[in-house]
DNA sequence: TATTATAATGACTTAAAAGTCATAATACAA
DNA sequence: TTGTATTATGACTTTTAAGTCATTATAATA
C-alpha cells in the first residue's frame, strides 16, 4: 500500500465531495477516481477496497467532529453548561457540513453498504460519543444537577438522537442554510427539552 | 399486472421474513422468489420492480403499526395519558416485530435503496405519524398541560426519535427479547424524559 | 371436450460496478 | 546517465443481480 499522504487525502476529500453531490449509494470507484483526477487502479493503491474507503470517510469526519466538541466542552464547567456547549457545537458542525449530513440523515443512511467489520467500528464511534455525554450526565447526577433514574449512557444516546432529529426536522422544512439565530434557538430548544421536557412546570 | 391477493401477500410476507433473516441489502429478487416457492418472473407479475416491492413492504408495515397506535391512543383522554399509551404501544410493536426493526434500526437503514419517489412516500409516512403526535401535543398545549414554546410537529419528531433510540439502545445492549416489565419501564422512562427532562425538579 | 385466456416459469439478456494486472511513467540512486 | 524501484494507468475480467420473454401449465368458458 502506497503512502503518499497528499494523494490519500485527495481521494478522501474527493469521495466526501461526491457523497455530498450524489450520495453514498451512487458512489462508484470509477467516479471517485474521476473526481480525484486519477486512475481507478490508483485508488486501490491507497485503499484496500470500497468498504475501507467509505469507512475512512466516515471515521475521519467523526474524529474531526468529536475533537471540536470535546475541546469546546472542556472550556465549560457544570453539567448544564457543558451540555449546552455540546449541543451548540454539534449543531454548528452539522450546519457547517450540511451537504454531507443532509445525505447521511435524509437521502440515505449510514451503514447499509458497509461490511460487518466497518459496521462495528461505526457503532463503536457512536458509543464513544454517547459515553462522553454519559460522563457529563453522570457528573451532573453526582453533583445533584440531574435526575439519577436515567442511565447516563442511555441519556447520551437520547441526546445525540435529539440533536440529529432537530437537524432532520430543519432540513425537511427547508431550513438548510445556517442562520446564527436559528442555531442559537435550536440549541436552547434541545437543551430545554432534554433538561425540562415539554411539561409545564 | 396479475391480481391474486394471496400470492401478492405471499410475496410480501416472504420478503419480510427474508429481510429479518438477511437484511435489506442482501435481498435479491431471486431469493424472494425462492423463499416464496415461485419463479422469479412471477414476482414481476405482482410487483413492477424491486423498488415497488420494498416500498410495499415498508408501507404495509407502517400502516399496521400506525393503525394499532391510533386505536390505542383513541381510548385515552388527556395529553399525558395519550402520549403514554402511544409510547407503550409503539415500543410493544417494535418488540413484537423486533427482528424486522433490528434490521431497520441497526444493521442497515431505511431508504438507501429506494428510488426518489419511494423515498418521498417514506418521508410522508413519517410525517403522518409525527403530525399525529403533534396534534396530541397541540391539544395538551391548549389545555395547559404542555409548554407552548416547542412547535408541536417538531415535538412529534423528537418523541418518535426518542422511542426509536430507546429501542436501539436496548438492542445494542443485548436486551432483545421482550420482557413486559422492561417495556413498561422503558415507556415510563421515555414519557418521563419527554415530559420532564433529566433535570431535578 | 376443445378453445381461449390467464398465470407461471426459468433460462437468458443486460447492465453496472468492483476489483485486477500487464504495461507505462516517474522518481530516485548509483 | 543509466538502471532500479516506486507509483500510476485504464482496458479487461469477474461477479452479481435486475429485469425480460418465449414457452409451458393451468383455469375458465363454450
Amino acid at each position: 500500500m502506497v503512502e503518499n499522504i497528499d494523494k490519500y487525502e485527495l481521494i478522501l476529500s474527493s469521495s466526501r465531495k461526491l457523497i455530498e453531490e450524489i450520495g453514498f449509494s451512487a458512489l462508484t470507484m470509477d467516479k471517485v477516481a474521476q473526481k480525484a483526477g486519477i486512475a481507478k487502479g490508483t485508488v486501490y493503491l491507497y485503499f484496500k477496497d470500497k468498504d475501507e474507503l467509505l469507512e475512512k470517510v466516515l471515521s475521519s469526519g467523526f474524529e474531526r467532529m468529536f475533537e471540536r466538541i470535546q475541546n469546546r466542552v472542556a472550556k465549560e464547567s457544570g453539567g448544564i453548561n457543558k451540555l449546552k456547549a455540546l449541543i451548540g457545537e454539534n449543531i454548528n458542525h452539522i450546519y457547517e457540513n450540511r451537504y454531507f449530513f443532509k445525505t447521511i440523515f435524509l437521502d440515505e443512511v449510514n451503514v447499509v453498504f458497509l461490511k460487518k467489520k466497518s459496521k462495528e467500528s461505526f457503532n463503536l464511534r457512536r458509543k464513544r460519543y454517547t459515553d462522553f455525554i454519559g460522563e457529563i450526565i453522570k457528573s451532573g447526577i453526582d453533583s445533584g444537577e440531574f435526575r439519577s433514574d436515567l442511565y447516563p449512557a442511555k441519556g447520551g444516546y437520547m441526546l445525540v438522537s435529539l440533536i440529529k432529529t432537530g437537524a432532520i426536522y430543519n432540513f425537511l422544512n427547508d431550513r438548510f442554510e445556517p442562520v446564527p439565530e436559528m442555531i442559537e434557538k435550536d440549541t436552547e430548544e434541545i437543551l430545554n427539552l432534554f433538561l425540562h421536557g415539554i411539561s409545564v412546570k
Side-chain angles (χ1 to χ4, degrees), chain A residues 81-105:
Chain A
N81 291 333
K82 279 179 187 289
L83 287 184
K84 183 177 177 181
L86 181 142
I87 295 166
E89 201 68 10
N90 200 332
I91 294 179
N92 267 299
H93 186 266
I94 290 171
Y95 268 90
E96 284 167 23
N97 298 278
R98 59 194 173 281
Y99 292 96
F100 187 80
F101 281 103
K102 183 168 180 289
T103 293
I104 298 260
F105 288 164

Side-chain angles (χ1 to χ4, degrees), chain A residues 16-137:
Chain A
R16 227 177 272 128
K17 275 180 215 147
L18 261 179
I19 290 166
E20 292 179 355
E21 288 165 21
I22 63 174
F24 268 99
S25 56
L27 192 88
T28 68
M29 295 305 255
D30 283 286
K31 283 176 188 162
V32 168
Q34 194 187 23
K35 187 87 179 175
I38 59 179
K40 181 156 73 154
T42 308
V43 177
Y44 282 90
L45 295 177
Y46 292 86
F47 298 90
K48 190 173 112 272
D49 54 24
K50 191 184 178 185
D51 191 65
E52 183 176 298
L53 172 60
L54 291 178
E55 157 65 17
K56 293 298 180 205
V57 167
L58 290 172
S59 62
S60 65
F62 174 80
E63 295 304 337
R64 266 200 311 241
M65 183 189 79
F66 193 29
E67 202 169 328
R68 75 178 275 187
I69 290 175
Q70 279 178 309
N71 290 337
R72 178 70 189 77
V73 168
K75 291 186 185 137
E76 302 291 333
S77 56
I80 292 174
N81 291 333
K82 279 179 187 289
L83 287 184
K84 183 177 177 181
L86 181 142
I87 295 166
E89 201 68 10
N90 200 332
I91 294 179
N92 267 299
H93 186 266
I94 290 171
Y95 268 90
E96 284 167 23
N97 298 278
R98 59 194 173 281
Y99 292 96
F100 187 80
F101 281 103
K102 183 168 180 289
T103 293
I104 298 260
F105 288 164
L106 289 193
D107 297 341
E108 356 215 314
V109 192
N110 38 44
V111 281
V112 77
F113 15 72
L114 296 181
K115 291 180 191 159
K116 195 159 181 289
K117 213 181 146 193
S118 299
K119 276 183 199 174
E120 278 163 16
S121 61
F122 185 93
N123 283 333
L124 279 178
R125 281 198 296 280
R126 174 164 59 177
K127 187 165 160 22
R128 271 172 60 210
Y129 185 32
T130 55
D131 281 352
F132 173 71
I133 302 175
E135 284 302 315
I136 298 175
I137 294 174

